[in-house]
Amino acid sequence: WEPLVLVASCVAGFGQAAIWVAQGVILTASSREERRGEDAGLFWGIYSFSGIVGPAVGYVVYRGVDAKGFFLFALACTLVGANVFRALRGTSSSSSSSQEALL
């Protein structure tokens, strides 16, 4: 498992770097101007909350299953999150065209 975990960590690190840089553009393109502050606050609140809830959920799940089951659970959570992210849409025609340029 160790080589797989190391390779997956490297891939996740590069992906997280790209998302970290792009999140401001996506947040701006997906928000109306009057709600941009609220949306940014919501994003950062969820991001900060995930630093507490994620490890807590992992601890509870990992206690009841083996390592393979835990990684399958983590994969399922990742796929759900990726599909939610793909479902984001722009709110105006100008933000729609800038979002399509990102995809």
Side-chain angles (χ1 to χ4, degrees), residues 17-103:
I19 289 173
W20 185 258
V21 172
Q23 62 87 19
V25 174
I26 292 170
L27 185 63
T28 302
S30 299
S31 299
R32 291 185 309 249
E33 188 158 347
E34 63 271 4
R35 285 193 41 103
R36 221 166 261 159
E38 283 180 48
D39 292 345
L42 181 64
F43 170 81
W44 285 106
I46 292 170
Y47 177 76
S48 298
F49 193 63
S50 70
I52 297 168
V53 173
V57 169
Y59 172 75
V60 169
V61 170
Y62 194 63
R63 283 182 37 193
V65 297
D66 60 346
K68 184 178 180 181
F70 178 73
F71 285 116
L72 290 174
F73 173 76
L75 175 66
C77 290
T78 301
L79 293 175
V80 168
N83 285 319
V84 168
F85 188 71
R86 285 188 71 196
L88 294 176
R89 297 285 182 241
T91 56
S92 68
S93 60
S94 64
S95 65
S96 171
S97 61
S98 63
Q99 187 176 11
E100 287 174 7
L102 291 174
L103 300 176

